[in-house]
Amino acid sequence: MKQVTPEQRIQEKQARKAAFHASKFYQIASWPFVHISAFYKKISVQHIKVDLSEAQDGSLIREIPRKRPIGLYLALIAFIVILIICFIPLNFRDVNWKWDYFWNDEIVRLFTPFKYRTKTIAGWWAYSWKKFTTSFSHLFYVCFLGTVLGSLIAIPVYYLCAQNVTRNALIRTPVRLFNDLLRTIPMFIIGYMISLIFSTGSTISAVLTVAVFSLGIMYQMMFEYIETLEMSPFEAIRSCGGNNLQCTNIGLHPEVKPMFFAYFIYTLEINIRASVILSYVGFQGYVYDLQNNIDQGWYDYVGAMLLPLLLVVAALQFISNTLARRLR
Amino acid sequence: MIELKHVDKIYPNGYKALSDINLTVKDGEFVSIIGLSGAGKSTLIRCINRMHDIQAGQILVDGVDISRLHGKALRAERRNIGMIFQSFNLIKRASVYKNVLAGRVGYHNTFETLFGIYSKKERLLALQSLDKFGILDKAYVRADQLSGGQQQRVALARALTQEPKLILADEPVASLDPVTTLSVMNDFTRINKMGITIIANMHHVDLAKKFSTRIIGVRAGQIVFDGKPEDVTDEVTKLIYGRSLNNNEKLGNIDDTPEALSEDIGKAPTLEKAPAKASNKAAPKKALKK
Amino acid sequence: MSENTATKQPSKWSTFWGKVALPFKKTHVFFFGDTKGLTHYRDPISAYQAKPKMWLVTTILLVIFLGLCFYMGKAINIQDAFSRPIQWTEIGKNFAAFFTIDWNYFWGNLSADQGGYTSGVFYNCIITFCITFIATSIAFFISIPLGLLASHKLFGKKAYFAEIFLILIRTFPELLLALFLTGLTGYTMFTAIFALSLHSVGMVGKLYADQIDEADLDSLEALDACGSNKMQRIKMAVMPQVFPNFLSVGLYRLDINIRTGTMLGLIVQQYGGIGWNFLLDFRSTSFSRLGADTLGIVFMIIVVDLLSSALRKKIV
């Protein structure tokens, strides 16, 4: 068999490419593109005549080419057009602004104790504490356990998705596609599908929903971080005689661990905010009680229930922010 | 004994990095490879370790053709070859002790390395290797808090922990300052006296001439010079680099270094011999080279 | 300020806390290693005996963590999960119906008594996208001044006001904000847009403030030396650097808002969008329609995700 050297292979490829360019089909099919690109090149440069002479009498005129950012202009026009089109299908029929009602009856009543329910300010705080320890803790435990489960399962998955660890695209691409699909499905759909398997409303479905959802969030952030890591310790352990798993575990994992914890807390915070929707898909809990209270107009209960949510989410945001900033 | 027979390496884009290399290195030699950047020095060294694959020829390390091995056999061969990199390649967030212990991964299966299960003798071996280079005090310090010379010594200790027969060094002193360069090269000489073959890439001809026992010149993927350091004259450098070197391209006067070359650090550390505990007299503290 | 720090005396409280923390620091050195290389080991055996025992710390932390997890599991009654046996045949039937999609319903070819075109999935997806796009664009423009006001580098201590306002807006989930704002503006799509944009202003404003704090602002001083006022300085020094980052943040927010925009219709019908379709089909448990809804949602999110990541790669 004739040995084809790499140089010959490259020459054959170039010869085939030149033959295709000379064929009639290519010449006809590429005529509009050639002219459009020539037009684009012409309008993308603006020649400015500048008079550089000292006496400004037109004796030393030079032409300076200035680039026009055509892409930006087109993007701006497209943005405005889409924005205008977006107003068409919507209807704003029943909009009436009720400022008084909003301020006096909603916002102020959030924090004033009402004479038939929470009798005093101490009663307001007592109700708040009771709801915090029972129903908000329920929500928090569900989210925490779900995030823990999801993150632990995600650990091998995001190593499989990263390009510098898994060079084999046959393993990487399906895992990435599956995870992308997982990330696009909103939480309530996942909650609904999982609650089909177990009975609707049981806590294990909520925990599994949060786990699957956090798998989708964590893998995206983690594999982008892994691709920015240096592969030098990986190579060093490889030269000491390690297989892939040993190289990853000893070389890369110590770098990844701190970032993992920072993203874990970030995911926990996202999950708490997103699991609000779960109560509409059948898991009675904190938000179900909250909606009941709003519907019945018991705004002091509403205010008392909102306070733990506010504090916990703000605390988690603060922690995840400081961690992410320290580690970067 | 390392033999390269008719080795060819061609990159996927058609560029021929090594053409028809024939080389034999006996045990105990200190070989330096010099040449221009891009001449194929790094490729040659990495092919011996099978970090790059070769397209033709054989590489025999102690009679075993490393270019045809796969999987477990390849890893078993690789643990006899230690490698030192230009950018030290340490695990930055781990302690020095863990970095040196990582040299033993070739001797364990995956499960044991996952949980960090090394035997007590191996741990003592790691600490002994650190002691040979005088950085035992820094054993539990995070690896990125050391200076450049100390980090290269940690890399040397990691290579020693593998109990290798051969050490490959890919421009080991390129990112160090001049004084540290000489200390690290002295450490290489001490390792060579323990009986370990060393093949090193050098980009400074003077360093190669002073510290090695054999010099190989590579130009455009071929070996153009193979001989003793005394035989490297101006003509030879013209052959390798294309022109002779000026005065400001040489290292200068390195004959009167402040430290003695013959300071011995003893034999290579092994698993079987347990070290004796030091007596209560305060041992003379080895000067820490920054 | 550098002269003050050089001559500052340590206060008695700092030495007091230093003394209190000393035993903790000693165990810290034992457990986490000698970070400055201050100890001197005479030989390898004594170094081996002085090794920090990380396995002890790891086991203790693991035990505490597992204990917490078990306590949480018990508190939410997770052991009731398998009290009812899983009926696999019914689940199989449901999933089969889920994956056979009702295409008439998907494209809106419904008769007038079933709601006509406006009940179909396609139309409602477009409505959801419109609501989200408008909300994100409003949030993008409004949060530029708010983000500037909340950055500590530009405004120092006065940035805390804007920051607290942003935190207040940000910590409420969008759905609760929407429920609240119905008291203000009634049950319309405008409320949905308002709630979504208010929440996005909080998140995006904070990200803007972070970007400004990370940017290189030495040119602010140079412009101050030329004699420009505050607004001019910000426009010339800050905006050219951070505006591409702002755009990329805005696109990322669009990506996330699409996912929450689908949920808005779940609560109230008049908020519009595909959530209401989902709620109707969920209540009546018609699985083939649910499959069509899911397909519509997933398709819309994938399209917006691809567009936004392609644009983001171009901007950076």
Side-chain angles (χ1 to χ4, degrees), chain B residues 9 31 55 60 96 112 136 142 170 195 276 278:
Chain B
K9 167 138 185 82
V31 180
Q55 265 69 38
L60 298 166
V96 161
E112 288 171 3
L136 189 60
R142 232 172 84 142
D170 193 356

Side-chain angles (χ1 to χ4, degrees), chain A residues 112-125 127 300-301:
Chain A
T112 46
F114 188 67
K115 113 173 112 135
Y116 296 117
R117 292 186 294 272
T118 57
K119 317 249 179 349
T120 55
I121 292 194
W124 193 85
W125 284 101
Y127 184 80
D300 51 345
Y301 276 177

Side-chain angles (χ1 to χ4, degrees), chain A residues 79 82-83 86-87 89-92 94-99 101-102 106 110 138 141-142 144-145 148 181 183-186 188-189 192-193 196-199 203-204 207 266 273 276-277 280-281 290-291 294 302 306 309-310 313-314 317 321 325, chain C residues 65 69 71-73 75-78 81-82 84 86 91 98 123 127 130-131 133-134 137 141 170-173 175-176 179-181 183-185 188-190 193 199 203 206 210 252 259 262-263 266-267 278 282 287 290 294 297-298 301-302 305:
Chain A
F79 174 72
I82 293 180
L83 196 61
C86 282
F87 275 99
L90 307 177
N91 58 341
F92 301 109
D94 305 316
V95 182
N96 51 343
W97 290 77
K98 300 180 275 190
W99 271 114
Y101 171 70
F102 185 62
E106 289 206 11
L110 278 183
H138 186 98
Y141 294 161
V142 164
F144 189 82
L145 284 176
V148 162
L181 196 64
R183 201 163 60 99
T184 54
I185 303 181
F188 61 98
I189 297 184
Y192 179 66
M193 293 210 287
L196 283 183
I197 303 180
F198 302 93
S199 57
T203 39
I204 185 120
V207 169
Y266 177 68
R273 274 196 273 122
V276 161
I277 194 62
Y280 290 93
V281 202
L290 197 63
Q291 167 124 48
I294 291 182
V302 169
L306 278 179
L309 180 72
L310 184 70
V313 173
Q317 273 183 352
N321 232 10
R325 207 175 296 177
Chain C
F65 183 70
C69 285
Y71 168 71
M72 288 184 187
I76 60 175
N77 293 331
I78 211 166
F82 298 101
R84 237 181 59 175
I86 305 176
I91 294 172
F98 190 82
Y123 182 73
I127 288 194
C130 295
I131 290 179
F133 192 80
I134 295 174
S137 321
F141 287 114
R170 201 165 76 224
T171 49
F172 287 105
L175 302 169
L176 294 182
L179 286 175
F180 254 69
L181 291 171
L184 184 62
T185 42
T188 55
M189 283 181 193
F190 180 74
I193 297 180
H199 186 86
M203 298 294 277
K206 171 192 167 284
D210 282 344
Y252 178 65
R259 291 153 218 255
T262 55
M263 294 198 233
L266 253 176
I267 314 177
F278 191 85
F282 173 69
F287 288 95
L290 276 172
T294 315
I297 294 179
V298 168
I301 294 180
I302 287 180
D305 198 348

Side-chain angles (χ1 to χ4, degrees), chain A residues 197-214:
Chain A
I197 303 180
F198 302 93
S199 57
T200 322
S202 63
T203 39
I204 185 120
S205 342
V207 169
L208 282 176
T209 313
V210 174
V212 167
F213 189 67
S214 50

Side-chain angles (χ1 to χ4, degrees), chain A residues 16-56:
Chain A
R16 269 180 280 163
K17 198 170 175 186
F20 180 60
H21 280 310
S23 75
K24 201 144 180 163
F25 167 72
Y26 184 80
Q27 305 222 339
I28 294 180
S30 69
W31 181 84
F33 295 104
V34 164
H35 282 262
I36 289 180
S37 62
F39 176 69
Y40 184 82
K41 277 203 182 80
K42 202 171 68 150
I43 61 171
S44 62
V45 182
Q46 177 190 23
H47 291 281
I48 302 180
K49 282 198 164 59
V50 173
D51 190 10
L52 294 173
S53 58
E54 284 191 19
Q56 295 284 311

Side-chain angles (χ1 to χ4, degrees), chain B residues 97 137 140-141 145 278-279, chain C residues 34-35 40-43 47 51:
Chain B
Y97 174 65
D137 296 345
Y140 303 115
V141 179
Q145 288 177 350
S279 62
Chain C
D34 186 6
T35 52
H40 174 61
Y41 306 111
R42 275 177 302 165
D43 53 62
K51 192 168 61 107

